[in-house]
Amino acid sequence: MVYNQKITKEIEDLTAKCLSNLSINQALYKEYDVQRGLRNLQGEGVRAGLTRISEITSFKKVNGEKIPCDGELRYQGIDIHEITDGFLKEERFGFEEVAYLMLFGSLPTEAQLKAFRTLLGEQRTLPKNFTRDVIMKAPSKDMMNTLSRSVLTLYAYDTKADDTSLANVLRQCINLIATFPMMCVYGYHAYNHYIRDKSMYIHRPSNELSTAENILMMLREDRKYTNLEARVLDLAMVLHMEHGGGNNSTFTTHVVTSSGTDTYSAIAAALGSLKGPKHGGANIKVVEMFKDMKKNISDINDEEEIKSYLLKLLRKEAFDKSGLIYGMGHAVYSLSDPRANIFKQYVKQLAHAKHRDNDFKLYSAVERLAPEVIGAERHIYKGVSANIDFYSGFVYGMLDLPTELYTPIFACSRIVGWSAHRIEELINTDKIIRPAYMAVKEHEEYVEMKDRK
């Protein structure tokens, strides 16, 4: 029997009834201060709880007044510039090191990092026949749906799937961090073969390689990649790993975790949130916008022609007629996005290595000219700057990552943040925190009583 996908007259009539009876007066959202899309007009996020995992600063108070400032991002209290400077200057891969920081609250020693990398390497394995029976069957053109299905199916292979004890949840999270790249890349290969009729090849990950290296190696038929390619992807993954407690998918993780559900369901919910084009799919829109821009601009060195095109974007006369310049502006940041500032210098290096200097020149021109055009055309309540999505799609294209994997690669980064937030939520509920707190108090009282004797 064929799955019924027809929208009948009855469905259309019922749809009209939904519109008639379920619409809410838009003025009420302002009256009751409801923050739709998890952001208010000041760019502040809705919090599902308190968090120490990461923190964003975009405004500072001066004499009681909020003043826009250069964006700041901290992971576990450490500034993102300090974190990235550490591994970039020493030419180390940072993903595993920063994942340790996220999960355990402090940067690892050399011995701790070595042990953690070994642990991740040992976990880079899927259940027997999982690739064949789950990933390769019913492949989807949407890799995020494929990834969600794979995550939910892992529940059936886990004999302790519903055990929400801290040690078990940590085990599950580390396993997901290790296997997300495999499920993403294998899902793409299945789609590429069964739907696009291309060649099929499955490369096993290496315990000796970093996460970024494994992604490039598993994705490419010849398994080859350059050191610069792997390091730029590694940096991108660190910068996408986490972004405050109020972003949509992290909010989802906290809310769903608070219900007491299993890890696989919580992470699948977060994936559903990330899939939305307003959250995880923005970099694809940036790439498509630049393709259209190059078709409609005769001279990329003519700044007036570039500004004219940008103005058409704002006036809904060009590209998708949404009125947006994709990659410019951010729901939280005002004057600058620290992730974009860090990323840009390495994007330039990769563009030069890939003979894409002219493209980088165009991106840089748009980054510089767009705030001017937006400022002249619209009244905005805060500054406008390039965000991380402005450059990430460009980088993924230079790395020959298919667009179908842009958002899943984001998920391979953000699974670390989701895991840290899930663990944090569990620790700070009565179920865990109160017995632990009481144990500490009892120990302190015992020591105090012993000292008195």
Side-chain angles (χ1 to χ4, degrees), residues 44-253:
E44 297 167 342
V46 180
R47 295 187 182 275
L50 298 177
T51 182
R52 295 176 58 184
I53 305 300
S54 66
E55 181 186 5
I56 300 167
T57 301
S58 58
F59 292 90
K60 291 188 176 179
K61 283 192 175 182
V62 179
N63 297 324
E65 183 181 356
K66 289 179 66 176
I67 305 296
C69 67
D70 286 321
E72 298 174 5
L73 173 62
R74 288 171 288 278
Y75 290 171
Q76 294 286 12
I78 305 176
D79 188 88
I80 190 65
H81 289 89
E82 182 181 344
I83 291 170
T84 55
D85 282 349
F87 63 82
L88 289 172
K89 287 180 179 177
E90 297 180 11
E91 297 187 349
R92 294 181 283 107
F93 289 103
F95 179 84
E96 292 76 18
E97 179 179 337
V98 183
Y100 185 100
L101 168 66
M102 283 290 188
L103 292 171
F104 308 116
S106 62
L107 286 167
T109 64
E110 187 175 342
Q112 289 170 335
L113 179 56
K114 183 179 180 181
F116 185 61
R117 283 176 171 161
T118 299
L119 177 60
L120 284 177
E122 292 171 348
Q123 295 299 316
R124 288 190 182 113
T125 179
L126 292 168
K128 185 177 181 180
N129 299 327
F130 187 91
T131 302
R132 182 195 68 190
D133 295 343
V134 178
I135 296 177
M136 290 188 180
K137 288 186 177 179
S140 168
K141 65 179 181 179
D142 191 293
M143 297 303 104
M144 290 296 285
N145 282 357
T146 297
L147 181 56
S148 296
R149 186 178 71 236
S150 294
V151 169
L152 285 172
T153 307
L154 281 174
Y155 175 98
Y157 290 82
D158 189 342
T159 58
K160 297 182 178 179
D162 289 310
D163 179 354
T164 57
S165 65
L166 195 58
N168 192 59
V169 169
L170 178 60
R171 170 191 66 83
Q172 293 170 329
C173 288
I174 290 174
N175 180 266
L176 289 173
I177 292 168
T179 57
F180 254 46
M182 298 171 66
M183 292 188 287
C184 289
V185 174
Y186 293 173
Y188 173 75
H189 286 319
Y191 154 76
N192 206 31
H193 176 66
Y194 291 108
I195 296 180
R196 298 180 64 197
D197 199 28
K198 303 291 184 179
S199 297
M200 165 70 82
Y201 48 90
I202 298 292
H203 301 320
R204 293 185 182 275
S206 168
N207 292 359
E208 306 303 318
L209 298 179
S210 69
T211 300
E213 289 176 300
N214 266 310
I215 288 173
L216 294 175
M217 182 271 288
M218 291 188 294
L219 184 62
R220 296 177 176 179
E221 186 174 3
D222 62 4
R223 307 186 187 193
K224 295 180 180 179
Y225 55 88
T226 67
N227 182 61
L228 178 61
E229 287 178 320
R231 293 197 181 281
V232 172
L233 179 58
D234 176 75
L235 176 60
M237 295 184 73
V238 169
L239 295 174
H240 282 89
M241 190 176 287
E242 176 46 29
H243 202 239
N247 71 78
N248 208 295
S249 57
T250 298
F251 180 94
T252 299
T253 303

Side-chain angles (χ1 to χ4, degrees), residues 24-44:
I24 296 173
N25 184 337
Q26 299 300 292
L28 294 176
Y29 283 91
K30 186 175 182 180
E31 179 181 343
Y32 291 100
D33 193 27
V34 176
Q35 300 179 8
R36 292 185 291 182
L38 302 186
R39 299 288 173 198
N40 62 18
L41 290 176
Q42 287 70 46
E44 297 167 342

